[in-house]
Amino acid sequence: MSRRPIVSDAVTWEFNATYLAENGERVPLPTSLRYDPADPIAITMSMWVTDQKAVVWTFARRLFVDGARRCAGLGDVRVRPIVRDRRRVLLVELSSPGGHAMIELPADRVSDFVCHTYDLLPASAEDAVVERDLELRVLRGRSRS
């Protein structure tokens, strides 16, 4: 039996992001990042488009680490660092069948959050928490559907 590290509960940090509309308008977007050590390689980002409705995406937390340094991601998600008005921001580009969105996140807040997640559960401890055999069985089961 493998020993699993003891981890704290999920953490959520809230801040304002900026949605870049196609017409060039910059729209404030209440956003939160959530990390749950029970799913140690993921960060969930919720963007509140109305008081009642959020758009939710889940990313590999490594994507934010890589995206803080250089363009990262493939396909429907890309993250890259830019400087806007003398501030470092992360530009997150999201594509789905429902459309395309460009979101600017404050790079310092995202960096602090990601560092905090690694304080809770270092990358070196992920394997002790992730049940790879179970994950593979789940994925295989989905591919047969």
Side-chain angles (χ1 to χ4, degrees):
M1 182 167 132
S2 67
R3 301 189 90 211
R4 292 178 177 240
I6 297 172
V7 292
S8 65
D9 293 331
V11 293
T12 302
W13 286 16
E14 297 177 350
F15 55 87
N16 282 319
T18 303
Y19 169 70
L20 305 176
E22 289 182 18
N23 66 4
E25 185 181 0
R26 299 171 55 78
V27 181
L29 187 63
T31 301
S32 66
L33 295 178
R34 183 175 191 277
Y35 176 74
D36 185 346
D39 188 3
I41 60 173
I43 290 177
T44 300
M45 182 168 74
S46 300
M47 299 160 286
W48 294 92
V49 294
T50 70
D51 288 342
Q52 302 293 319
K53 183 179 179 190
V55 174
V56 179
W57 283 71
T58 300
F59 309 93
R61 69 176 171 165
R62 183 78 203 169
L63 181 64
F64 285 116
V65 173
D66 294 342
R69 293 187 211 120
R70 64 184 184 287
C71 186
L74 299 170
D76 58 352
V77 178
R78 294 181 190 263
V79 178
R80 65 185 162 110
I82 62 172
V83 176
R84 168 113 38 221
D85 301 326
R86 296 186 182 177
R87 276 185 335 122
R88 288 184 39 235
V89 297
L90 293 182
L91 180 63
V92 179
E93 296 181 62
L94 305 170
S95 296
S96 74
H100 181 79
M102 294 178 52
I103 312 294
E104 288 182 352
L105 305 176
D108 57 341
R109 295 281 292 158
V110 173
S111 177
D112 289 348
F113 178 79
V114 172
C115 285
H116 183 68
T117 72
Y118 282 109
D119 288 342
L120 293 173
L121 186 75
S124 61
E126 289 174 354
D127 284 340
V129 177
V130 175
E131 295 183 34
R132 299 210 189 275
D133 290 338
L134 175 61
E135 296 290 333
L136 287 172
R137 284 195 304 271
V138 169
L139 288 174
R140 285 185 189 131
R142 286 184 191 159
S143 66
R144 292 183 192 142
S145 307

